[in-house]
Amino acid sequence: MKLTITGRKINLRDSFKEKVDKKFAKFDKFFDENADAAVTVTMERNRYTIEVTIHSDGYIYRAEKSGLDLEEALDLVVDSLSAQIRRNKKKLAKRVKSPNPMEAFIPFGGDADDEADEDSQFQIVRTKTFPVYAMDVDEAVLQMNMLGHKFFMFRNAESGQINVVYLRHDGDYGLLIPEDK
């Protein structure tokens, strides 16, 4: 796995970068050498925030955690990523091996043998359709805020693509733009 460590508003010491390398070495058994991991460390108001994004074979794993010191934030973000990988490892392995990707997902309420995995099953309880209007990003954020939602899907007036704006944990906004691979 290729690891990129970046500091925002902070100079990272080599000893911390070595700790990050050591902590992320345990993920090598899950990811091949083509996986890219971006670790961004930010310091704001005496709190350290570590954001990690791992791109591997079309899948994205992301975690963001904050702590009063660097080691605490690093431990929290590594634990969060480990939990994501453990939760999804079985489903992802089935999906990769299955000729039909939908066969990997067992309908909710399946066999009694699956009771141990029941908490990890997906259950879609509602499907909703709505018109998608062309607008710019600022209009989409305004619409999202007026609706009181945490995300809003719209057609970008500039590109014509479907985009999503969302409210981040830190109170800022994010924009999702699809990219063909």
Side-chain angles (χ1 to χ4, degrees), residues 59 61 88-98 104:
Y59 295 104
Y61 295 87
N88 295 309
K89 182 180 171 189
K90 192 177 199 179
K91 289 178 186 149
L92 292 176
K94 284 182 184 178
R95 181 176 177 192
V96 170
K97 292 176 186 172
S98 173

Side-chain angles (χ1 to χ4, degrees), residues 23-170:
K23 293 270 187 180
F24 278 78
K26 75 178 192 177
F27 294 133
D28 286 341
K29 61 185 172 187
F30 299 111
F31 301 108
D32 60 11
E33 64 276 351
N34 295 329
D36 291 316
V39 178
T40 305
V41 181
T42 308
M43 181 181 165
E44 289 185 17
R45 295 184 223 119
N46 297 328
R47 289 192 62 83
Y48 296 94
T49 301
I50 298 179
E51 179 181 332
V52 178
T53 306
I54 300 174
H55 295 272
S56 175
D57 296 327
Y59 295 104
I60 299 173
Y61 295 87
R62 184 181 180 287
E64 180 178 335
K65 296 294 178 183
S66 297
L68 295 175
D69 64 13
L70 279 172
E71 284 74 22
E72 176 188 8
L74 179 61
D75 288 341
L76 289 171
V77 79
V78 167
D79 290 345
S80 178
L81 281 170
S82 296
Q84 281 184 40
I85 292 167
R86 273 194 313 272
R87 259 194 323 266
N88 295 309
K89 182 180 171 189
K90 192 177 199 179
K91 289 178 186 149
L92 292 176
K94 284 182 184 178
R95 181 176 177 192
V96 170
K97 292 176 186 172
S98 173
N100 178 1
M102 293 312 291
E103 290 176 9
F105 299 102
I106 301 165
F108 192 75
D111 296 318
D113 305 315
D114 296 332
E115 285 185 41
D117 291 336
E118 190 169 312
D119 60 332
S120 66
Q121 298 296 320
F122 297 111
Q123 180 181 15
I124 297 175
V125 295
R126 182 178 181 195
T127 300
K128 187 175 180 180
T129 59
F130 58 94
V132 179
Y133 298 104
M135 60 182 71
D136 64 23
V137 175
D138 292 336
E139 285 179 282
V141 170
L142 181 63
Q143 285 289 324
M144 177 183 68
N145 288 335
M146 287 192 312
L147 291 169
H149 291 173
K150 297 205 185 283
F151 68 92
F152 185 77
M153 184 170 53
F154 67 102
R155 182 172 304 281
N156 192 318
E158 291 178 20
S159 67
Q161 289 183 314
I162 298 294
N163 291 172
V164 175
V165 290
Y166 63 96
L167 182 63
R168 294 173 44 94
H169 295 293
D170 60 7

